[in-house]
Amino acid sequence: MKKALITGITGQDGSYLSELLLDKGYEVYGTMRRKSVVDYGNVDHIKDRIHLIYADMSDHVSLIHAVRNVQPDEVYNLAAQSFVATSWEQPVLTAEIDGIGVLNLLEAIRTEKPDARFYQASTSEMFGLVQETPQTENTPFYPRSPYGAAKLYGHWITKNYRESFGLYACSGILFNHESERRGLEFVTRKITHAVANIKAGKQRVLELGNLDVKRDWGHAKDYVCAMWLMLQQDAPDEYVIASGETRTVRDFVNAAFTAAGYSLKWQGEGADETAADQTTGEILVRVNPRYFRPAEVEFLLGSPKKAESKLGWKREISFDEMVSRMVANDLILAGL
């Protein structure tokens, strides 16, 4: 039986990856940070089927112990401070976890289990101010946030350890991937959660920042399949995982309200833009400048051609189905 060690196992991707690996017969271990109140997050429903270890990406010794004790065949590094907005408020913490934390884990693998296969969760935010469209594995990076910069270090140190020490070390450059398990601080879940609360009469208006930002969105369940596929290849490499489609935040808002039975009418532009219910005329969406980032990533569009041809990966869940699932889940949570 293969053994897998997942950092950040309680998050969105960690939970879907755990389910995938359990279905494939793996023995699954995961790291979690010690808190005053135990929180199993998104793996609460499978906590009796996995092994949880207390460790932290900023604590090199704890990672050494985790790798030494588990002796994993595969290691998936999904732990991160993954909220871009927070990276501006806590840039040093973000760098320690998303950058140096990767180095800590690679060193633990190099010294304790050098034949383990390693997956690093890189991100499309590394492209930032995009240098070409669509973005591929060869597109130059230009991060526009402390998060993107920290992730870029993690990406390059992974490649360096592969080339310097012969580790089987891959990076998946994943574009935005969402799900019903996405945290409420992310704009996509903020939207679907607000739509459900508006439908339930618990909220009046959804306030957002830049509606013209374009993203390449897919469902997390599809994207964790690509992570696993990367570690099953003969040789390690980098892969862009994306849908190959781009949509604005406004498009996401429209899809979410449509899934809940609304039809929106947009008016105004910039900071004055609003969207109203076409039936009642009530304003449901409003732009609030305080949600704008100091430096915005305006446009992301990935090319999954390499992953499709070399990994045999393909997306199963469409954009509209992803949004509908998220809205349906939040409607239940709202009591509807």
Side-chain angles (χ1 to χ4, degrees):
M1 178 185 293
K2 280 188 176 182
K3 291 190 286 187
L5 175 62
I6 304 171
T7 67
I9 195 170
T10 62
Q12 170 188 258
D13 291 7
S15 65
Y16 282 116
L17 180 61
S18 295
E19 291 170 346
L20 175 71
L21 296 178
L22 287 171
D23 287 344
K24 292 182 178 298
Y26 281 65
E27 189 172 0
V28 176
Y29 295 78
T31 67
M32 59 187 295
R33 287 176 294 171
R34 187 179 294 277
K35 299 179 181 178
S36 57
V37 177
V38 177
D39 180 8
Y40 296 108
N42 288 304
V43 294
D44 186 71
H45 64 297
I46 55 172
K47 65 179 183 293
D48 296 331
R49 300 175 61 197
I50 60 180
H51 309 278
L52 294 169
I53 303 167
Y54 286 115
D56 193 286
M57 297 301 291
S58 61
D59 182 358
H60 186 207
V61 173
S62 71
L63 296 176
I64 289 174
H65 288 164
V67 176
R68 179 185 297 161
N69 293 334
V70 174
Q71 290 292 295
D73 299 288
E74 298 172 2
V75 179
Y76 297 85
N77 181 35
L78 309 185
Q81 190 300 100
S82 57
F83 190 39
V84 176
T86 297
S87 78
W88 290 103
E89 299 171 359
Q90 297 183 291
V92 175
L93 175 68
T94 302
E96 289 175 347
I97 297 173
D98 299 5
I100 300 302
V102 184
L103 175 61
N104 289 336
L105 184 54
L106 283 166
E107 269 294 290
I109 293 169
R110 185 179 72 85
T111 58
E112 301 298 329
K113 190 66 164 64
D115 63 339
R117 296 192 169 197
F118 175 72
Y119 170 82
Q120 165 61 14
S122 291
T123 171
S124 58
E125 289 286 329
M126 300 187 307
F127 292 120
L129 187 63
V130 297
Q131 303 298 292
E132 67 177 3
T133 299
Q135 292 88 60
T136 72
E137 293 79 7
N138 298 317
T139 301
F141 299 116
Y142 196 137
R144 297 270 282 169
S145 66
Y147 169 73
K151 277 290 194 174
L152 186 53
Y153 177 85
H155 179 81
W156 277 113
I157 201 64
T158 297
K159 190 166 187 173
N160 272 262
Y161 266 61
R162 179 173 78 221
E163 295 177 349
S164 299
F165 301 116
L167 297 186
Y168 189 109
C170 292
S171 287
I173 307 173
L174 271 59
F175 280 64
N176 296 67
H177 48 290
E178 317 298 330
S179 76
E180 308 89 298
R181 300 176 188 177
R182 179 55 101 183
L184 291 172
E185 69 272 23
F186 291 85
V187 67
T188 50
R189 184 72 194 291
K190 175 182 177 179
I191 291 168
T192 61
H193 186 253
V195 168
N197 281 342
I198 289 170
K199 184 82 170 180
K202 298 178 179 181
Q203 183 174 336
R204 291 186 60 188
V205 178
L206 165 63
E207 291 191 344
L208 295 168
N210 190 348
L211 297 173
D212 294 316
V213 168
K214 293 183 177 180
R215 291 290 183 270
D216 183 325
W217 276 299
H219 196 285
K221 190 171 184 179
D222 286 336
Y223 285 40
V224 300
C225 292
M227 298 176 188
W228 178 77
L229 285 169
M230 288 180 211
L231 297 195
Q232 312 313 309
Q233 307 307 304
D234 291 335
D237 205 347
E238 285 82 41
Y239 296 90
V240 164
I241 305 301
S243 73
E245 305 169 353
T246 189
R247 291 176 171 83
T248 64
V249 173
R250 188 184 297 100
D251 292 332
F252 197 105
V253 171
N254 279 327
F257 273 99
T258 297
Y262 290 91
S263 181
L264 297 181
K265 179 180 181 181
W266 293 88
Q267 52 194 11
E269 60 182 27
D272 297 321
E273 187 169 9
T274 61
D277 184 337
Q278 282 198 355
T279 302
T280 66
E282 182 180 3
I283 292 177
L284 300 179
V285 184
R286 180 181 291 118
V287 170
N288 188 331
R290 78 184 182 93
Y291 293 119
F292 282 67
R293 294 179 183 175
E296 185 61 84
V297 176
E298 298 286 349
F299 181 88
L300 290 174
L301 173 62
S303 171
K305 289 182 179 179
K306 180 178 176 180
E308 290 172 345
S309 62
K310 291 195 172 184
L311 301 179
W313 176 78
K314 67 176 182 177
R315 189 172 58 126
E316 302 287 346
I317 302 171
S318 69
F319 173 81
D320 287 332
E321 183 181 351
M322 174 191 73
V323 177
S324 294
R325 286 188 182 194
M326 294 175 69
V327 171
N329 180 72
D330 281 327
L331 286 170
I332 292 172
L333 294 178
L336 296 177

